[in-house]
Amino acid sequence: MTDETQIERESMEYDVVIVGGGPSGLSAAIRLKQIDPELQVVVLEKGSEIGAHILSGAVLDPAGLNRLIPDWKEKGAPLNTEVVDDNFFVLGEAGQVRVPNWPMPPLMNNHGNYVVSMGNVCRWLAEQAEELGVEIFPGMAASQIVWDGNRVKGVVAGEMGLNADGTPGAMYEPGMELHGKYVFIAEGVRGSLAKEIIEKLNLSDGHEPQKFGLGMKEIWEVQPEKFQKGRVVHTMGWPLGKNAGGGSFIYHFEDNQVLVGFVVHLNYANPHLYPYAEFQRFKHHPMVAELLEGGKRVAYGARAISEGGLQSIPELSFDGGVLLGCSAGMVNVPRIKGNHNAMISGIEAAEAAAAALKEGREGDRLTAYDEAVRKGDIAKDLKKVRNVKPIWSKLGLWPSLMLGGIDMWVSNLTGWNPLGTWKHGKTDAQATGKAKDFQPIDYPKPDGKLSFDRLTNVAFSFTNHEESQPAHLKLKDPSIPIKVNLPEYAEPAQRYCPAGVYEVIEEGGEARFQINFQNCVHCKTCDIKDPSQNINWTTPQGGDGPNYPNM
């Protein structure tokens, strides 16, 4: 392995270093330069280009964009499909029941929202940032924190060319240290640097554990007569039933493309559950199959979703920096929306940092950012829905629809949650039950028309990793998958990974755990759901991973 103490790296100094070129990081960069064009701001993106690793539904609430760039329409933002039709169904195996819109709390209404590719929205935001003078470095994975005591001083980015054993190869590049007066962590859900900072500085103390879902998505080109631009459909129920919480989305986007997604809450107990197979089975429901038949799938991807809500957001500021967007967990679960809050968090952090820098401060805590999030628009958005997820987890689908609906309605009308604040309790890893207590689930084989095996679909994520580098999926104890997870939990990594990264292979009567890291789509599910918490997701070298065209 590389001896970090012996590596000499050049360093660059900035006012603000931003890790992650998603909606929160780019919004922060833009707002910083809007306030003070002289600020030196850099955005580091691990994907091969801005947008390459962005996967979201997405129906975008433009609240954050309206605040950041009020004239976004005139500037050509790629928001071209306004929602025109909002539908919600509860599915059974052979049919569906439509839930009328009128009993839904107003916050569930998608009027004024847009079906978008967040990858393309981020590409457009990057153009706006660069016009303002922001430096953007794609293909630069930030792999380490530069600590100065308990202060985050910067990050190491751009280390490349390591051999599989971690030693420097012939083309080794040590990367650079990028130091910031403030460092913004905007990696998205379960980012490796955010995870390290939260654990080292105990930022989650006094808050509920973060909860997660796994979102899987395909883009389909459907027959023109079946396409209804701006139509939005959400479903719950079949095929998950009582096995897990979750549901689907079907968004009619543009150019006869329909965005088909499926979310499985990762607090499921049955380790035999296979989220990817549930997604594939869902597409055979008569309502969905009728839409997709005769069409073709053109892209696939997967990503974890933060679902803990307001009570799971950790402390957001620390000496030298802040957590933005999904690095902290700002998704509104019943709305299936977080991009607007991610953008607002970037704006709030930028305003707090710009004010601090104007005062001559650096490296301290931006407590004004914490306050802005917990008392401003983000808190108002999340407070109304804070009990939906824990009610669903504890009582199931129908009680969550009724009790959660009442709680949202009262909160919407009065600002008061009659149910108080429910707790989440266990982490998603701790929620995993023992294999002996559950029946295995018999999943139908993919038909190659509507449903596909994992490896076939992974090819449609355009994922690539340089095979000679060290595996970025690290086992704390290599013996645990076979000695513990296999007998106790039927080694669920074989099933919860939506990209077929993990396999248990029989060789000479012995079981062996194999990691096919080249398949990884960077969803982070393994880091979240492994019952032994033995898998640590780290960044591969910059530019590697999925290359989503318009997710």
Side-chain angles (χ1 to χ4, degrees):
M1 297 295 291
T2 305
D3 184 353
E4 288 295 328
T5 62
Q6 301 300 315
I7 296 176
E8 291 188 11
R9 294 186 173 99
E10 296 181 11
S11 64
M12 296 180 67
E13 305 292 327
Y14 289 90
D15 292 306
V16 180
V17 174
I18 300 173
V19 180
S24 64
L26 291 168
S27 296
I30 289 169
R31 186 67 189 124
L32 283 162
K33 296 293 274 189
Q34 287 174 338
I35 296 170
D36 184 352
E38 299 304 313
L39 290 176
Q40 298 299 306
V41 180
V42 64
V43 174
L44 305 172
E45 167 56 41
K46 68 181 172 67
S48 61
E49 63 168 346
I50 295 292
H53 290 179
I54 297 293
L55 186 144
S56 186
V59 169
L60 178 64
D61 178 342
L65 193 55
N66 289 339
R67 182 168 160 187
L68 182 69
I69 306 174
D71 58 344
W72 54 264
K73 283 187 179 180
E74 291 75 16
K75 290 188 173 180
L79 281 68
N80 305 315
T81 303
E82 190 164 358
V83 175
V84 298
D85 189 19
D86 216 354
N87 302 272
F88 184 81
F89 294 93
V90 177
L91 302 185
E93 187 169 359
Q96 65 276 346
V97 175
R98 182 163 186 238
V99 179
N101 290 19
W102 62 263
M104 299 276 190
L107 62 92
M108 299 295 288
N109 189 343
N110 275 308
H111 177 74
N113 297 332
Y114 294 82
V115 181
V116 300
S117 157
M118 276 311 295
N120 289 339
V121 171
C122 288
R123 290 179 179 98
W124 179 83
L125 287 171
E127 292 173 2
Q128 311 310 303
E130 287 181 321
E131 287 179 8
L132 293 170
V134 175
E135 293 182 40
I136 299 179
F137 296 148
M140 287 281 281
S143 54
Q144 297 176 46
I145 297 286
V146 178
W147 292 97
D148 180 9
N150 281 335
R151 174 196 167 185
V152 173
K153 181 181 178 181
V155 296
V156 174
E159 185 176 30
M160 303 179 79
L162 290 172
N163 294 320
D165 63 0
T167 59
M171 304 296 288
Y172 177 68
E173 296 178 19
M176 300 187 68
E177 289 191 6
L178 292 99
H179 300 161
K181 295 174 181 174
Y182 295 103
V183 178
F184 289 4
I185 304 297
E187 298 171 296
V189 178
R190 195 71 164 197
S192 52
L193 301 187
K195 180 183 170 185
E196 178 185 344
I197 292 168
I198 290 169
E199 289 179 356
K200 179 179 171 72
L201 302 180
N202 302 312
L203 299 183
S204 285
D205 284 5
H207 303 275
E208 286 295 293
Q210 187 57 263
K211 305 293 283 184
F212 300 92
L214 169 60
M216 296 156 285
K217 176 181 172 182
E218 294 172 357
I219 300 178
W220 280 73
E221 286 183 5
V222 301
Q223 294 174 332
E225 63 271 20
K226 298 180 180 181
F227 179 72
Q228 302 176 57
K229 185 174 182 177
R231 177 176 171 83
V232 164
V233 175
H234 291 108
T235 79
M236 300 167 76
W238 189 88
L240 290 173
K242 294 181 179 179
N243 282 322
S248 83
F249 58 85
I250 302 172
Y251 302 152
H252 291 244
F253 180 36
E254 55 190 38
D255 300 325
N256 297 324
Q257 288 193 338
V258 176
L259 316 178
V260 182
F262 198 78
V263 177
V264 177
H265 299 171
L266 288 176
N267 61 353
Y268 61 82
N270 186 347
H272 300 292
L273 188 82
Y274 188 171
Y276 176 85
E278 298 283 355
F279 175 30
Q280 298 306 302
R281 182 158 62 171
F282 157 76
K283 291 181 291 176
H284 287 275
H285 187 276
M287 183 182 81
V288 185
E290 182 183 10
L291 171 66
L292 301 182
E293 283 171 352
K296 64 177 181 178
R297 160 221 45 184
V298 296
Y300 166 75
R303 191 72 172 92
I305 304 165
S306 60
E307 295 185 337
L310 191 63
Q311 53 268 61
S312 296
I313 294 177
E315 296 302 304
L316 295 169
S317 66
F318 45 86
D319 287 344
V322 296
L323 302 173
L324 300 185
C326 285
S327 286
M330 298 180 181
V331 171
N332 183 313
V333 172
R335 294 184 75 198
I336 322 181
K337 290 179 181 63
N339 290 306
H340 63 300
N341 285 337
M343 295 181 73
I344 292 169
S345 77
I347 294 168
E348 300 286 15
E351 292 178 352
L357 291 166
K358 189 175 181 179
E359 294 171 4
R361 293 161 46 198
E362 64 176 271
D364 59 348
R365 287 191 61 183
L366 294 171
T367 53
Y369 168 60
D370 276 279
E371 186 172 353
V373 169
R374 297 190 187 278
K375 293 184 179 179
D377 291 340
I378 294 172
K380 290 174 185 175
D381 184 56
L382 297 180
K383 183 178 183 295
K384 298 172 186 176
V385 303
R386 62 184 171 180
N387 290 320
V388 172
K389 169 71 175 180
I391 292 172
W392 194 345
S393 299
K394 290 181 168 77
L395 302 180
L397 171 58
W398 291 105
S400 78
L401 286 176
M402 292 184 285
L403 278 177
I406 292 169
D407 197 55
M408 284 191 288
W409 258 112
V410 174
S411 181
N412 189 78
L413 293 171
T414 68
W416 168 65
N417 287 84
L419 299 180
T421 300
W422 283 41
K423 295 184 176 181
H424 294 302
K426 296 177 181 178
T427 67
D428 293 330
Q430 293 166 342
T432 311
K434 300 294 179 69
K436 64 181 176 60
D437 297 327
F438 296 90
Q439 288 295 319
I441 302 170
D442 184 23
Y443 289 101
K445 290 184 178 180
D447 68 354
K449 297 176 182 178
L450 294 180
S451 50
F452 312 96
D453 65 79
R454 278 186 298 191
L455 295 186
T456 299
N457 239 358
V458 167
F460 284 80
S461 69
F462 312 104
T463 292
N464 182 62
H465 293 85
E466 172 56 54
E467 295 187 16
S468 64
Q469 68 183 300
H472 62 280
L473 303 159
K474 315 283 189 187
L475 299 180
K476 298 174 186 175
D477 182 344
S479 71
I480 281 179
I482 301 304
K483 287 188 176 179
V484 178
N485 285 357
L486 188 58
E488 295 285 328
Y489 306 99
E491 186 42 277
Q494 302 173 89
R495 292 173 293 280
Y496 60 58
C497 173
V501 168
Y502 302 101
E503 292 182 276
V504 174
I505 297 174
E506 293 284 340
E507 289 181 346
E510 295 289 324
R512 178 173 64 83
F513 191 62
Q514 179 162 304
I515 301 176
N516 306 305
F517 74 87
Q518 298 90 341
N519 295 353
C520 180
V521 294
H522 299 195
C523 73
K524 316 292 178 64
T525 302
C526 56
D527 195 296
I528 296 162
K529 185 60 176 171
D530 178 52
S532 300
Q533 285 296 275
N534 187 49
I535 300 174
N536 189 34
W537 193 98
T538 64
T539 53
Q541 67 182 21
D544 286 4
N547 284 281
Y548 297 135
N550 57 341
M551 285 288 197

